[in-house]
Amino acid sequence: MKWYPMNQELFSAVDHYINTLLAPQDEALAATERSLDEANMPQISVSPSQGKLLHMFALLCNARRILEIGTLGGYSTIWLARALPADGRLITLEYDPKHAEVAQQNVTRAGLVAQVDIRVGKALDVLPQLAAEETEPFDLIFLDADKKPYVEYFEWSLQMSRPGTLIVADNVIRDGQVLNSNSTDPSVQGVQRFNTMLSTNTAVTATILPTVGVKGFDGMALAVVN
Ligand code: SAH
Ligand code: DHB
Ligand code: MG
């Protein structure tokens, strides 16, 4: 693949400016970020400005029911759940019991226990159970777990959607590696397969929002169910 120049320092500085102005972290979010280091978990949560964007998507959707796949320490969970009304509900799926435990502590500290339900297990095992038990569709769905089965996560998401549901998928550009058709990285292959599927899926209206900032160069796919 061709080499393209980047200006990561500038992108980080500008993102820091945006985060400070418009996505300042309160104690619950700052403690969630710290909890990842304390528990030796990866710092791969969405950035503050991306968390704010997810929060705004939930507000725009008037979301009362949110599904998240991939909890980690609950950082994006907190941003999303804070957009819910008091009787709203966010279900988040996490494979690693340790991650789920840390996330539960963070969600509790944020005062969101009543709204947030963390389900432990492989998403592809939990999604069929969820689809069987859930009667009401989700208003917003955030895909952010392992990238290989993104297409399958999307198909389950469609089953639990209604016209107007917003489906957001994180990390679909991966520093531009998505352009490398010879990539052997399973995560890159996963998002390539996902983006191609989106381009031909008539069930949704979709685009990709490229992002640069403190988390590098990536992108979020946005799909509204028709
Ligand atoms: N959404 C989080 C970050 C999630 S990181 C945030 O922005 O704050 C991805 C998470 O998905 C990790 O915690 C990982 O353990 C989890 N995960 C990976 N494979 C999974 C699977 N098959 N099912 C459910 N969760 C999975
Ligand atoms: C990775 C996963 C993510 O969800 C993310 O936002 C950044 C990185 C990863 O697996 O490397
Ligand atoms: Mg992500």
Side-chain angles (χ1 to χ4, degrees):
M1 193 179 112
K2 184 181 178 303
W3 184 85
Y4 296 90
M6 283 273 291
N7 199 335
Q8 183 56 47
E9 252 184 89
L10 175 63
F11 298 151
S12 290
V14 171
D15 199 15
H16 181 71
Y17 165 83
I18 297 168
N19 294 340
T20 306
L21 269 180
L22 292 162
Q25 301 199 121
D26 63 2
E27 181 46 30
L29 286 167
T32 298
E33 202 178 315
R34 288 197 303 272
S35 75
L36 300 179
D37 287 337
E38 285 158 13
N40 267 308
M41 289 156 63
Q43 284 286 354
I44 55 172
S45 313
V46 295
S47 70
S49 60
Q50 289 168 350
K52 181 78 176 276
L53 183 67
L54 292 174
H55 179 83
M56 289 172 61
F57 284 152
L59 292 177
L60 282 163
C61 292
N62 256 313
R64 303 173 52 81
R65 301 173 43 75
I66 298 175
L67 173 65
E68 175 178 70
I69 307 182
T71 318
L72 190 65
Y75 185 85
S76 55
T77 312
I78 291 171
W79 275 108
L80 285 165
R82 282 181 171 172
L84 288 169
D87 63 347
R89 194 142 191 80
L90 184 154
I91 298 174
T92 181
L93 312 187
E94 174 53 54
Y95 173 69
D96 188 320
K98 189 183 86 174
H99 294 186
E101 192 187 317
V102 171
Q104 188 62 54
Q105 288 167 9
N106 290 327
V107 162
T108 304
R109 192 193 289 106
L112 294 165
V113 166
Q115 283 103 332
V116 175
D117 180 2
I118 304 173
R119 305 274 181 102
V120 184
K122 270 184 70 174
L124 285 177
D125 295 336
V126 179
L127 284 164
Q129 299 168 13
L130 202 58
E133 81 191 43
E134 290 297 322
T135 46
E136 265 186 83
F138 290 101
D139 306 307
L140 188 160
I141 301 177
F142 180 47
L143 310 185
D144 196 20
D146 49 334
K147 313 307 168 193
K148 238 177 104 170
Y150 258 30
V151 168
E152 286 71 28
Y153 295 159
F154 189 82
E155 282 164 359
W156 282 110
S157 299
L158 281 179
Q159 285 209 28
M160 294 183 270
S161 293
R162 50 151 177 90
T165 294
L166 176 64
I167 303 173
V168 180
D170 199 23
N171 313 116
V172 300
I173 297 299
R174 311 198 71 83
D175 292 308
Q177 291 181 76
V178 73
L179 298 183
N180 182 1
S181 45
N182 297 317
S183 176
T184 54
D185 179 332
S187 296
V188 172
Q189 291 177 345
V191 299
Q192 286 170 332
R193 176 169 163 255
F194 177 80
N195 295 339
T196 304
M197 175 279 295
L198 261 193
S199 75
T200 56
N201 194 321
T202 55
V204 294
T205 303
T207 191
I208 294 172
L209 181 69
T211 55
V212 289
V214 294
K215 300 281 172 167
F217 173 36
D218 217 318
M220 281 188 189
L222 309 176
V224 179
V225 177
N226 295 326

